[in-house]
Each structure stands twice: as C-alpha cells, then as structure tokens.
Amino acid sequence: METLDKFDLAILNELQNDGRLTNAELASRVGLSAAPCWRRVRALEEAGYITGYRAELNREKIGLGVLAFVRLDAERNSGDALGQMEKAIRQISEIVSCHYISGSGTFELQVVCPDLSEFSRFAREVLIHLPNVKDLHTSFSLGEVKSAGALPLGHLAPQTVNQSIGSTRTGKT
C-alpha cells in the first residue's frame, strides 16, 4: 500500500475520531460496503498506517492530577549510553511520552503523577537515577488546552483527475 486514496483517508479520519466504530458504521460513513471497508482497514493496519486502538482516559478522573514536562540532559551521547537510557525510560509507566529533542537537552518526557509531592519523590528517586542522566529540568502543565488530537490528513488528500490534467496542460506542478 504505497498511496492512500480518498476512502483510505476517510477511514483513517473516522477511526481517529472514534476507534470504536463497528465495521458497518465505518463503511456507511466512508461510503463503502462492509467487505471492502474491512479489507481496507486490514491493509492500513498491515501497512503500518494504523498502529493500534486504545481508550483515552481522563487522567484527572483517575487521580493523575500532575502533568510534568521533564527535559533530561545526558552525561554522554554515545549509542550505548543512550540505549541504556531509552530502555530504562520504556519501563517506567509514569513516563507516558518520550522524545529526542533538538537544542539543549537530550530527551523531553511527559510524566504523570497523582500530585506534586509524588512527583517530587519520583524525580528524586527515579528520574535522577536513570542511567546516564546529567541533569533534569521540569515544567508543569497549568491546564490542558488540547490533548491527544487527531493527526491532520489534509496534506495527504489525493489530487482529483481535473487537478492533475490541469496541472499537466499548464505546465504547473
């Protein structure tokens, strides 16, 4: 599956908005019958466009009132040292997201904890003791404006036949 057509994009969009849709509901929303819709979903999964399904939980309702952004500075940026750090980070459930970053620092983490006291304990007993950590810097979320939004798909929209022909005739790309 090298290119996505309008049905594939519609399927991805609908599933991002509601991953619990039945195949029949999804097929109806995207304008396909059930069997071709199911085959397309399976093809999107196999090609790696869809990597999983999960429920989004309200972290505050489950007692995780603190969201911290933690920049970790590595002592060494060698492959082995960073690999050890990555392995350790993947094992810690309070770290819900981790990214390599540009600029100062090596990793940017999103960490959830029940409260500031628990975060303070977690930072002193866990984060600072990760392998290869030189320093850490923390900022706290004061309120979420947008979280776990659907990925934009507009840049993937296939060209219509008229757009393609018009571009070719005028020499525009």
Side-chain angles (χ1 to χ4, degrees):
M1 175 171 256
E2 292 182 24
T3 60
L4 301 174
D5 66 15
K6 69 178 186 174
F7 293 110
D8 298 323
L9 293 173
I11 288 169
L12 292 174
N13 191 53
E14 292 295 334
L15 287 176
Q16 281 193 105
N17 291 324
D18 185 357
R20 294 185 66 186
L21 288 172
T22 66
N23 185 60
E25 291 171 322
L26 179 61
S28 174
R29 289 186 185 189
V30 301
L32 290 171
S33 60
C37 183
W38 181 84
R39 284 192 297 271
R40 283 175 178 265
V41 170
R42 292 292 169 250
L44 289 165
E45 291 170 348
E46 289 171 10
Y49 289 98
I50 298 172
T51 58
Y53 300 88
R54 64 185 182 136
E56 275 185 48
L57 305 181
N58 180 322
R59 69 177 171 79
E60 291 176 346
K61 287 223 180 241
I62 61 169
L64 297 171
V66 170
L67 172 61
F69 301 92
V70 180
R71 187 181 74 228
L72 291 180
D73 298 326
E75 188 72 44
R76 295 175 316 281
N77 284 322
S78 69
D80 289 342
L82 291 178
Q84 290 173 359
M85 249 178 127
E86 289 174 23
K87 184 177 179 183
I89 287 169
R90 284 188 191 101
Q91 303 301 312
I92 302 170
S93 61
E94 290 86 352
I95 300 173
V96 296
S97 177
C98 175
H99 299 270
Y100 281 111
I101 59 172
S102 63
S104 64
T106 307
F107 294 104
E108 182 83 18
L109 312 176
Q110 287 185 19
V111 176
V112 292
C113 285
D115 53 39
L116 285 174
S117 175
E118 181 58 24
F119 177 82
S120 178
R121 184 207 60 78
F122 179 75
R124 288 188 324 272
E125 295 177 11
V126 177
L127 292 178
I128 202 67
H129 294 289
L130 285 168
N132 196 38
V133 169
K134 178 172 120 182
D135 200 5
L136 60 94
H137 308 273
T138 304
S139 298
F140 295 98
S141 171
L142 299 177
E144 287 182 9
V145 175
K146 183 177 180 180
S147 176
L151 295 175
L153 302 175
H155 66 287
L156 298 174
Q159 289 186 339
T160 64
V161 174
N162 290 338
Q163 287 174 324
S164 297
I165 293 171
S167 296
T168 304
R169 285 186 186 156
T170 62
K172 296 179 184 173
T173 55

PDB file of all heavy atoms in Angstrom, residues 114-151:
ATOM      1  N   PRO A 114       0.140  11.552  40.758  1.00  0.00           N
ATOM      2  CA  PRO A 114      -1.066  11.996  41.459  1.00  0.00           C
ATOM      3  C   PRO A 114      -1.004  13.445  41.956  1.00  0.00           C
ATOM      4  O   PRO A 114      -1.991  14.166  41.878  1.00  0.00           O
ATOM      5  CB  PRO A 114      -1.172  11.034  42.654  1.00  0.00           C
ATOM      6  CG  PRO A 114      -0.437   9.814  42.213  1.00  0.00           C
ATOM      7  CD  PRO A 114       0.686  10.336  41.338  1.00  0.00           C
ATOM      8  N   ASP A 115       0.162  13.878  42.445  1.00  0.00           N
ATOM      9  CA  ASP A 115       0.269  15.232  42.992  1.00  0.00           C
ATOM     10  C   ASP A 115       1.734  15.672  42.977  1.00  0.00           C
ATOM     11  O   ASP A 115       2.620  14.900  42.605  1.00  0.00           O
ATOM     12  CB  ASP A 115      -0.320  15.299  44.413  1.00  0.00           C
ATOM     13  CG  ASP A 115       0.270  14.260  45.356  1.00  0.00           C
ATOM     14  OD1 ASP A 115       1.496  14.004  45.279  1.00  0.00           O
ATOM     15  OD2 ASP A 115      -0.487  13.694  46.161  1.00  0.00           O
ATOM     16  N   LEU A 116       1.979  16.910  43.404  1.00  0.00           N
ATOM     17  CA  LEU A 116       3.341  17.451  43.391  1.00  0.00           C
ATOM     18  C   LEU A 116       4.269  16.711  44.340  1.00  0.00           C
ATOM     19  O   LEU A 116       5.441  16.504  44.037  1.00  0.00           O
ATOM     20  CB  LEU A 116       3.327  18.946  43.730  1.00  0.00           C
ATOM     21  CG  LEU A 116       2.829  19.855  42.617  1.00  0.00           C
ATOM     22  CD1 LEU A 116       2.725  21.289  43.127  1.00  0.00           C
ATOM     23  CD2 LEU A 116       3.732  19.786  41.405  1.00  0.00           C
ATOM     24  N   SER A 117       3.759  16.299  45.468  1.00  0.00           N
ATOM     25  CA  SER A 117       4.578  15.560  46.425  1.00  0.00           C
ATOM     26  C   SER A 117       5.054  14.244  45.816  1.00  0.00           C
ATOM     27  O   SER A 117       6.226  13.884  45.940  1.00  0.00           O
ATOM     28  CB  SER A 117       3.759  15.299  47.699  1.00  0.00           C
ATOM     29  OG  SER A 117       4.481  14.491  48.581  1.00  0.00           O
ATOM     30  N   GLU A 118       4.169  13.542  45.131  1.00  0.00           N
ATOM     31  CA  GLU A 118       4.543  12.280  44.490  1.00  0.00           C
ATOM     32  C   GLU A 118       5.498  12.535  43.332  1.00  0.00           C
ATOM     33  O   GLU A 118       6.437  11.767  43.116  1.00  0.00           O
ATOM     34  CB  GLU A 118       3.293  11.532  44.012  1.00  0.00           C
ATOM     35  CG  GLU A 118       3.578  10.214  43.354  1.00  0.00           C
ATOM     36  CD  GLU A 118       4.338   9.209  44.223  1.00  0.00           C
ATOM     37  OE1 GLU A 118       4.292   9.302  45.466  1.00  0.00           O
ATOM     38  OE2 GLU A 118       5.007   8.323  43.641  1.00  0.00           O
ATOM     39  N   PHE A 119       5.295  13.627  42.586  1.00  0.00           N
ATOM     40  CA  PHE A 119       6.237  13.934  41.506  1.00  0.00           C
ATOM     41  C   PHE A 119       7.622  14.214  42.075  1.00  0.00           C
ATOM     42  O   PHE A 119       8.625  13.760  41.540  1.00  0.00           O
ATOM     43  CB  PHE A 119       5.789  15.117  40.641  1.00  0.00           C
ATOM     44  CG  PHE A 119       6.822  15.446  39.604  1.00  0.00           C
ATOM     45  CD1 PHE A 119       6.885  14.730  38.424  1.00  0.00           C
ATOM     46  CD2 PHE A 119       7.790  16.417  39.852  1.00  0.00           C
ATOM     47  CE1 PHE A 119       7.891  14.980  37.494  1.00  0.00           C
ATOM     48  CE2 PHE A 119       8.796  16.675  38.925  1.00  0.00           C
ATOM     49  CZ  PHE A 119       8.835  15.949  37.739  1.00  0.00           C
ATOM     50  N   SER A 120       7.678  14.970  43.169  1.00  0.00           N
ATOM     51  CA  SER A 120       8.960  15.287  43.794  1.00  0.00           C
ATOM     52  C   SER A 120       9.684  14.005  44.201  1.00  0.00           C
ATOM     53  O   SER A 120      10.881  13.839  43.940  1.00  0.00           O
ATOM     54  CB  SER A 120       8.730  16.175  45.017  1.00  0.00           C
ATOM     55  OG  SER A 120       9.944  16.440  45.654  1.00  0.00           O
ATOM     56  N   ARG A 121       8.970  13.071  44.824  1.00  0.00           N
ATOM     57  CA  ARG A 121       9.570  11.787  45.193  1.00  0.00           C
ATOM     58  C   ARG A 121      10.038  11.039  43.953  1.00  0.00           C
ATOM     59  O   ARG A 121      11.147  10.523  43.903  1.00  0.00           O
ATOM     60  CB  ARG A 121       8.552  10.931  45.962  1.00  0.00           C
ATOM     61  CG  ARG A 121       9.149   9.607  46.455  1.00  0.00           C
ATOM     62  CD  ARG A 121       8.121   8.507  46.621  1.00  0.00           C
ATOM     63  NE  ARG A 121       7.422   8.156  45.406  1.00  0.00           N
ATOM     64  CZ  ARG A 121       7.916   7.387  44.415  1.00  0.00           C
ATOM     65  NH1 ARG A 121       9.148   6.928  44.475  1.00  0.00           N
ATOM     66  NH2 ARG A 121       7.187   7.105  43.360  1.00  0.00           N
ATOM     67  N   PHE A 122       9.209  10.996  42.921  1.00  0.00           N
ATOM     68  CA  PHE A 122       9.525  10.296  41.676  1.00  0.00           C
ATOM     69  C   PHE A 122      10.781  10.880  41.016  1.00  0.00           C
ATOM     70  O   PHE A 122      11.662  10.142  40.576  1.00  0.00           O
ATOM     71  CB  PHE A 122       8.317  10.388  40.726  1.00  0.00           C
ATOM     72  CG  PHE A 122       8.519   9.732  39.408  1.00  0.00           C
ATOM     73  CD1 PHE A 122       8.499   8.346  39.288  1.00  0.00           C
ATOM     74  CD2 PHE A 122       8.721  10.493  38.267  1.00  0.00           C
ATOM     75  CE1 PHE A 122       8.679   7.731  38.059  1.00  0.00           C
ATOM     76  CE2 PHE A 122       8.902   9.893  37.041  1.00  0.00           C
ATOM     77  CZ  PHE A 122       8.881   8.509  36.928  1.00  0.00           C
ATOM     78  N   ALA A 123      10.881  12.197  40.974  1.00  0.00           N
ATOM     79  CA  ALA A 123      12.052  12.842  40.370  1.00  0.00           C
ATOM     80  C   ALA A 123      13.325  12.511  41.151  1.00  0.00           C
ATOM     81  O   ALA A 123      14.357  12.191  40.556  1.00  0.00           O
ATOM     82  CB  ALA A 123      11.850  14.355  40.312  1.00  0.00           C
ATOM     83  N   ARG A 124      13.253  12.566  42.494  1.00  0.00           N
ATOM     84  CA  ARG A 124      14.430  12.301  43.344  1.00  0.00           C
ATOM     85  C   ARG A 124      14.833  10.833  43.373  1.00  0.00           C
ATOM     86  O   ARG A 124      16.011  10.512  43.426  1.00  0.00           O
ATOM     87  CB  ARG A 124      14.166  12.769  44.782  1.00  0.00           C
ATOM     88  CG  ARG A 124      14.144  14.257  44.978  1.00  0.00           C
ATOM     89  CD  ARG A 124      14.064  14.637  46.467  1.00  0.00           C
ATOM     90  NE  ARG A 124      13.268  13.759  47.296  1.00  0.00           N
ATOM     91  CZ  ARG A 124      11.944  13.873  47.502  1.00  0.00           C
ATOM     92  NH1 ARG A 124      11.281  14.846  46.920  1.00  0.00           N
ATOM     93  NH2 ARG A 124      11.308  13.030  48.285  1.00  0.00           N
ATOM     94  N   GLU A 125      13.847   9.944  43.322  1.00  0.00           N
ATOM     95  CA  GLU A 125      14.149   8.522  43.485  1.00  0.00           C
ATOM     96  C   GLU A 125      14.248   7.754  42.171  1.00  0.00           C
ATOM     97  O   GLU A 125      14.877   6.698  42.135  1.00  0.00           O
ATOM     98  CB  GLU A 125      13.091   7.862  44.374  1.00  0.00           C
ATOM     99  CG  GLU A 125      13.105   8.388  45.790  1.00  0.00           C
ATOM    100  CD  GLU A 125      12.011   7.779  46.666  1.00  0.00           C
ATOM    101  OE1 GLU A 125      11.366   6.796  46.233  1.00  0.00           O
ATOM    102  OE2 GLU A 125      11.791   8.308  47.767  1.00  0.00           O
ATOM    103  N   VAL A 126      13.640   8.272  41.115  1.00  0.00           N
ATOM    104  CA  VAL A 126      13.618   7.522  39.855  1.00  0.00           C
ATOM    105  C   VAL A 126      14.326   8.276  38.731  1.00  0.00           C
ATOM    106  O   VAL A 126      15.315   7.795  38.179  1.00  0.00           O
ATOM    107  CB  VAL A 126      12.162   7.169  39.432  1.00  0.00           C
ATOM    108  CG1 VAL A 126      12.142   6.452  38.096  1.00  0.00           C
ATOM    109  CG2 VAL A 126      11.484   6.346  40.517  1.00  0.00           C
ATOM    110  N   LEU A 127      13.829   9.459  38.400  1.00  0.00           N
ATOM    111  CA  LEU A 127      14.348  10.157  37.211  1.00  0.00           C
ATOM    112  C   LEU A 127      15.829  10.474  37.301  1.00  0.00           C
ATOM    113  O   LEU A 127      16.582  10.224  36.361  1.00  0.00           O
ATOM    114  CB  LEU A 127      13.547  11.443  36.950  1.00  0.00           C
ATOM    115  CG  LEU A 127      12.106  11.254  36.508  1.00  0.00           C
ATOM    116  CD1 LEU A 127      11.423  12.617  36.329  1.00  0.00           C
ATOM    117  CD2 LEU A 127      12.014  10.440  35.231  1.00  0.00           C
ATOM    118  N   ILE A 128      16.255  11.035  38.408  1.00  0.00           N
ATOM    119  CA  ILE A 128      17.658  11.447  38.519  1.00  0.00           C
ATOM    120  C   ILE A 128      18.596  10.239  38.545  1.00  0.00           C
ATOM    121  O   ILE A 128      19.785  10.356  38.259  1.00  0.00           O
ATOM    122  CB  ILE A 128      17.882  12.365  39.753  1.00  0.00           C
ATOM    123  CG1 ILE A 128      19.149  13.196  39.571  1.00  0.00           C
ATOM    124  CG2 ILE A 128      17.875  11.568  41.027  1.00  0.00           C
ATOM    125  CD1 ILE A 128      19.082  14.215  38.472  1.00  0.00           C
ATOM    126  N   HIS A 129      18.049   9.048  38.829  1.00  0.00           N
ATOM    127  CA  HIS A 129      18.863   7.831  38.888  1.00  0.00           C
ATOM    128  C   HIS A 129      18.802   7.007  37.601  1.00  0.00           C
ATOM    129  O   HIS A 129      19.364   5.904  37.562  1.00  0.00           O
ATOM    130  CB  HIS A 129      18.453   6.978  40.084  1.00  0.00           C
ATOM    131  CG  HIS A 129      18.743   7.640  41.393  1.00  0.00           C
ATOM    132  ND1 HIS A 129      20.026   7.796  41.873  1.00  0.00           N
ATOM    133  CD2 HIS A 129      17.920   8.222  42.292  1.00  0.00           C
ATOM    134  CE1 HIS A 129      19.982   8.438  43.023  1.00  0.00           C
ATOM    135  NE2 HIS A 129      18.717   8.713  43.309  1.00  0.00           N
ATOM    136  N   LEU A 130      18.152   7.528  36.585  1.00  0.00           N
ATOM    137  CA  LEU A 130      18.182   6.829  35.295  1.00  0.00           C
ATOM    138  C   LEU A 130      19.633   6.771  34.825  1.00  0.00           C
ATOM    139  O   LEU A 130      20.424   7.674  35.117  1.00  0.00           O
ATOM    140  CB  LEU A 130      17.337   7.580  34.258  1.00  0.00           C
ATOM    141  CG  LEU A 130      15.827   7.443  34.393  1.00  0.00           C
ATOM    142  CD1 LEU A 130      15.118   8.450  33.496  1.00  0.00           C
ATOM    143  CD2 LEU A 130      15.370   6.034  34.072  1.00  0.00           C
ATOM    144  N   PRO A 131      19.992   5.735  34.080  1.00  0.00           N
ATOM    145  CA  PRO A 131      21.384   5.655  33.605  1.00  0.00           C
ATOM    146  C   PRO A 131      21.739   6.839  32.716  1.00  0.00           C
ATOM    147  O   PRO A 131      20.929   7.258  31.886  1.00  0.00           O
ATOM    148  CB  PRO A 131      21.426   4.337  32.821  1.00  0.00           C
ATOM    149  CG  PRO A 131      20.022   3.906  32.646  1.00  0.00           C
ATOM    150  CD  PRO A 131      19.175   4.638  33.617  1.00  0.00           C
ATOM    151  N   ASN A 132      22.919   7.410  32.941  1.00  0.00           N
ATOM    152  CA  ASN A 132      23.470   8.436  32.072  1.00  0.00           C
ATOM    153  C   ASN A 132      22.837   9.820  32.232  1.00  0.00           C
ATOM    154  O   ASN A 132      23.061  10.708  31.414  1.00  0.00           O
ATOM    155  CB  ASN A 132      23.393   7.967  30.609  1.00  0.00           C
ATOM    156  CG  ASN A 132      24.259   8.773  29.680  1.00  0.00           C
ATOM    157  OD1 ASN A 132      25.361   9.170  30.018  1.00  0.00           O
ATOM    158  ND2 ASN A 132      23.747   9.027  28.493  1.00  0.00           N
ATOM    159  N   VAL A 133      22.023  10.048  33.270  1.00  0.00           N
ATOM    160  CA  VAL A 133      21.393  11.363  33.459  1.00  0.00           C
ATOM    161  C   VAL A 133      22.382  12.321  34.099  1.00  0.00           C
ATOM    162  O   VAL A 133      22.967  12.036  35.139  1.00  0.00           O
ATOM    163  CB  VAL A 133      20.115  11.271  34.321  1.00  0.00           C
ATOM    164  CG1 VAL A 133      19.634  12.653  34.735  1.00  0.00           C
ATOM    165  CG2 VAL A 133      19.025  10.544  33.563  1.00  0.00           C
ATOM    166  N   LYS A 134      22.574  13.459  33.453  1.00  0.00           N
ATOM    167  CA  LYS A 134      23.431  14.518  33.991  1.00  0.00           C
ATOM    168  C   LYS A 134      22.602  15.527  34.772  1.00  0.00           C
ATOM    169  O   LYS A 134      22.990  15.980  35.837  1.00  0.00           O
ATOM    170  CB  LYS A 134      24.159  15.201  32.837  1.00  0.00           C
ATOM    171  CG  LYS A 134      25.053  16.348  33.240  1.00  0.00           C
ATOM    172  CD  LYS A 134      25.863  16.811  32.053  1.00  0.00           C
ATOM    173  CE  LYS A 134      25.587  18.243  31.739  1.00  0.00           C
ATOM    174  NZ  LYS A 134      26.328  18.715  30.563  1.00  0.00           N
ATOM    175  N   ASP A 135      21.423  15.884  34.227  1.00  0.00           N
ATOM    176  CA  ASP A 135      20.597  16.915  34.850  1.00  0.00           C
ATOM    177  C   ASP A 135      19.173  16.768  34.344  1.00  0.00           C
ATOM    178  O   ASP A 135      18.933  16.153  33.302  1.00  0.00           O
ATOM    179  CB  ASP A 135      21.153  18.302  34.490  1.00  0.00           C
ATOM    180  CG  ASP A 135      20.689  19.385  35.449  1.00  0.00           C
ATOM    181  OD1 ASP A 135      20.013  19.072  36.451  1.00  0.00           O
ATOM    182  OD2 ASP A 135      21.001  20.566  35.191  1.00  0.00           O
ATOM    183  N   LEU A 136      18.233  17.349  35.084  1.00  0.00           N
ATOM    184  CA  LEU A 136      16.849  17.389  34.609  1.00  0.00           C
ATOM    185  C   LEU A 136      16.235  18.733  34.936  1.00  0.00           C
ATOM    186  O   LEU A 136      16.589  19.370  35.917  1.00  0.00           O
ATOM    187  CB  LEU A 136      16.027  16.227  35.170  1.00  0.00           C
ATOM    188  CG  LEU A 136      15.852  16.061  36.665  1.00  0.00           C
ATOM    189  CD1 LEU A 136      14.570  16.724  37.126  1.00  0.00           C
ATOM    190  CD2 LEU A 136      15.769  14.576  36.950  1.00  0.00           C
ATOM    191  N   HIS A 137      15.332  19.156  34.065  1.00  0.00           N
ATOM    192  CA  HIS A 137      14.634  20.441  34.196  1.00  0.00           C
ATOM    193  C   HIS A 137      13.149  20.164  33.989  1.00  0.00           C
ATOM    194  O   HIS A 137      12.771  19.494  33.029  1.00  0.00           O
ATOM    195  CB  HIS A 137      15.119  21.445  33.153  1.00  0.00           C
ATOM    196  CG  HIS A 137      16.604  21.597  33.149  1.00  0.00           C
ATOM    197  ND1 HIS A 137      17.257  22.475  33.975  1.00  0.00           N
ATOM    198  CD2 HIS A 137      17.571  20.965  32.437  1.00  0.00           C
ATOM    199  CE1 HIS A 137      18.558  22.387  33.761  1.00  0.00           C
ATOM    200  NE2 HIS A 137      18.776  21.474  32.833  1.00  0.00           N
ATOM    201  N   THR A 138      12.306  20.703  34.878  1.00  0.00           N
ATOM    202  CA  THR A 138      10.890  20.367  34.865  1.00  0.00           C
ATOM    203  C   THR A 138      10.032  21.612  34.708  1.00  0.00           C
ATOM    204  O   THR A 138      10.299  22.645  35.315  1.00  0.00           O
ATOM    205  CB  THR A 138      10.503  19.645  36.177  1.00  0.00           C
ATOM    206  OG1 THR A 138      11.340  18.499  36.330  1.00  0.00           O
ATOM    207  CG2 THR A 138       9.055  19.218  36.159  1.00  0.00           C
ATOM    208  N   SER A 139       8.982  21.472  33.907  1.00  0.00           N
ATOM    209  CA  SER A 139       7.907  22.457  33.809  1.00  0.00           C
ATOM    210  C   SER A 139       6.608  21.696  34.040  1.00  0.00           C
ATOM    211  O   SER A 139       6.497  20.518  33.694  1.00  0.00           O
ATOM    212  CB  SER A 139       7.863  23.106  32.424  1.00  0.00           C
ATOM    213  OG  SER A 139       9.054  23.795  32.146  1.00  0.00           O
ATOM    214  N   PHE A 140       5.617  22.373  34.596  1.00  0.00           N
ATOM    215  CA  PHE A 140       4.346  21.730  34.900  1.00  0.00           C
ATOM    216  C   PHE A 140       3.226  22.316  34.054  1.00  0.00           C
ATOM    217  O   PHE A 140       3.185  23.520  33.809  1.00  0.00           O
ATOM    218  CB  PHE A 140       3.999  21.887  36.383  1.00  0.00           C
ATOM    219  CG  PHE A 140       4.966  21.168  37.282  1.00  0.00           C
ATOM    220  CD1 PHE A 140       6.001  21.853  37.887  1.00  0.00           C
ATOM    221  CD2 PHE A 140       4.844  19.811  37.495  1.00  0.00           C
ATOM    222  CE1 PHE A 140       6.903  21.199  38.705  1.00  0.00           C
ATOM    223  CE2 PHE A 140       5.741  19.144  38.305  1.00  0.00           C
ATOM    224  CZ  PHE A 140       6.771  19.829  38.916  1.00  0.00           C
ATOM    225  N   SER A 141       2.320  21.461  33.646  1.00  0.00           N
ATOM    226  CA  SER A 141       1.129  21.915  32.933  1.00  0.00           C
ATOM    227  C   SER A 141       0.216  22.617  33.924  1.00  0.00           C
ATOM    228  O   SER A 141      -0.067  22.088  35.000  1.00  0.00           O
ATOM    229  CB  SER A 141       0.397  20.712  32.325  1.00  0.00           C
ATOM    230  OG  SER A 141      -0.850  21.113  31.809  1.00  0.00           O
ATOM    231  N   LEU A 142      -0.239  23.797  33.538  1.00  0.00           N
ATOM    232  CA  LEU A 142      -1.189  24.534  34.362  1.00  0.00           C
ATOM    233  C   LEU A 142      -2.617  24.333  33.880  1.00  0.00           C
ATOM    234  O   LEU A 142      -3.562  24.845  34.464  1.00  0.00           O
ATOM    235  CB  LEU A 142      -0.832  26.026  34.361  1.00  0.00           C
ATOM    236  CG  LEU A 142       0.551  26.355  34.919  1.00  0.00           C
ATOM    237  CD1 LEU A 142       0.827  27.851  34.805  1.00  0.00           C
ATOM    238  CD2 LEU A 142       0.701  25.880  36.358  1.00  0.00           C
ATOM    239  N   GLY A 143      -2.771  23.601  32.794  1.00  0.00           N
ATOM    240  CA  GLY A 143      -4.086  23.289  32.234  1.00  0.00           C
ATOM    241  C   GLY A 143      -3.949  22.865  30.784  1.00  0.00           C
ATOM    242  O   GLY A 143      -3.138  23.437  30.055  1.00  0.00           O
ATOM    243  N   GLU A 144      -4.698  21.861  30.402  1.00  0.00           N
ATOM    244  CA  GLU A 144      -4.633  21.370  29.028  1.00  0.00           C
ATOM    245  C   GLU A 144      -5.592  22.142  28.141  1.00  0.00           C
ATOM    246  O   GLU A 144      -6.754  22.311  28.479  1.00  0.00           O
ATOM    247  CB  GLU A 144      -4.981  19.875  28.968  1.00  0.00           C
ATOM    248  CG  GLU A 144      -3.892  19.000  29.512  1.00  0.00           C
ATOM    249  CD  GLU A 144      -4.212  17.513  29.404  1.00  0.00           C
ATOM    250  OE1 GLU A 144      -5.203  17.142  28.760  1.00  0.00           O
ATOM    251  OE2 GLU A 144      -3.443  16.735  29.986  1.00  0.00           O
ATOM    252  N   VAL A 145      -5.098  22.601  27.020  1.00  0.00           N
ATOM    253  CA  VAL A 145      -5.918  23.262  26.020  1.00  0.00           C
ATOM    254  C   VAL A 145      -6.342  22.241  24.968  1.00  0.00           C
ATOM    255  O   VAL A 145      -7.483  22.216  24.533  1.00  0.00           O
ATOM    256  CB  VAL A 145      -5.150  24.434  25.363  1.00  0.00           C
ATOM    257  CG1 VAL A 145      -5.947  25.045  24.232  1.00  0.00           C
ATOM    258  CG2 VAL A 145      -4.767  25.466  26.417  1.00  0.00           C
ATOM    259  N   LYS A 146      -5.416  21.381  24.595  1.00  0.00           N
ATOM    260  CA  LYS A 146      -5.690  20.352  23.599  1.00  0.00           C
ATOM    261  C   LYS A 146      -4.769  19.182  23.888  1.00  0.00           C
ATOM    262  O   LYS A 146      -3.586  19.360  24.136  1.00  0.00           O
ATOM    263  CB  LYS A 146      -5.435  20.898  22.192  1.00  0.00           C
ATOM    264  CG  LYS A 146      -5.758  19.929  21.089  1.00  0.00           C
ATOM    265  CD  LYS A 146      -5.543  20.572  19.723  1.00  0.00           C
ATOM    266  CE  LYS A 146      -5.881  19.593  18.624  1.00  0.00           C
ATOM    267  NZ  LYS A 146      -5.676  20.197  17.302  1.00  0.00           N
ATOM    268  N   SER A 147      -5.322  17.993  23.839  1.00  0.00           N
ATOM    269  CA  SER A 147      -4.526  16.811  24.128  1.00  0.00           C
ATOM    270  C   SER A 147      -4.999  15.665  23.250  1.00  0.00           C
ATOM    271  O   SER A 147      -6.186  15.529  22.979  1.00  0.00           O
ATOM    272  CB  SER A 147      -4.679  16.432  25.607  1.00  0.00           C
ATOM    273  OG  SER A 147      -3.995  15.239  25.878  1.00  0.00           O
ATOM    274  N   ALA A 148      -4.046  14.845  22.817  1.00  0.00           N
ATOM    275  CA  ALA A 148      -4.352  13.633  22.046  1.00  0.00           C
ATOM    276  C   ALA A 148      -5.249  13.919  20.845  1.00  0.00           C
ATOM    277  O   ALA A 148      -6.181  13.188  20.570  1.00  0.00           O
ATOM    278  CB  ALA A 148      -4.969  12.571  22.942  1.00  0.00           C
ATOM    279  N   GLY A 149      -4.973  14.999  20.146  1.00  0.00           N
ATOM    280  CA  GLY A 149      -5.765  15.329  18.966  1.00  0.00           C
ATOM    281  C   GLY A 149      -5.481  14.398  17.807  1.00  0.00           C
ATOM    282  O   GLY A 149      -4.438  13.756  17.739  1.00  0.00           O
ATOM    283  N   ALA A 150      -6.439  14.307  16.916  1.00  0.00           N
ATOM    284  CA  ALA A 150      -6.261  13.505  15.710  1.00  0.00           C
ATOM    285  C   ALA A 150      -5.190  14.152  14.839  1.00  0.00           C
ATOM    286  O   ALA A 150      -5.044  15.379  14.803  1.00  0.00           O
ATOM    287  CB  ALA A 150      -7.578  13.414  14.950  1.00  0.00           C
ATOM    288  N   LEU A 151      -4.426  13.330  14.140  1.00  0.00           N
ATOM    289  CA  LEU A 151      -3.402  13.847  13.237  1.00  0.00           C
ATOM    290  C   LEU A 151      -4.064  14.451  12.003  1.00  0.00           C
ATOM    291  O   LEU A 151      -5.033  13.895  11.474  1.00  0.00           O
ATOM    292  CB  LEU A 151      -2.444  12.730  12.820  1.00  0.00           C
ATOM    293  CG  LEU A 151      -1.611  12.123  13.940  1.00  0.00           C
ATOM    294  CD1 LEU A 151      -0.795  10.944  13.410  1.00  0.00           C
ATOM    295  CD2 LEU A 151      -0.702  13.155  14.554  1.00  0.00           C
TER     296      LEU A 151
END
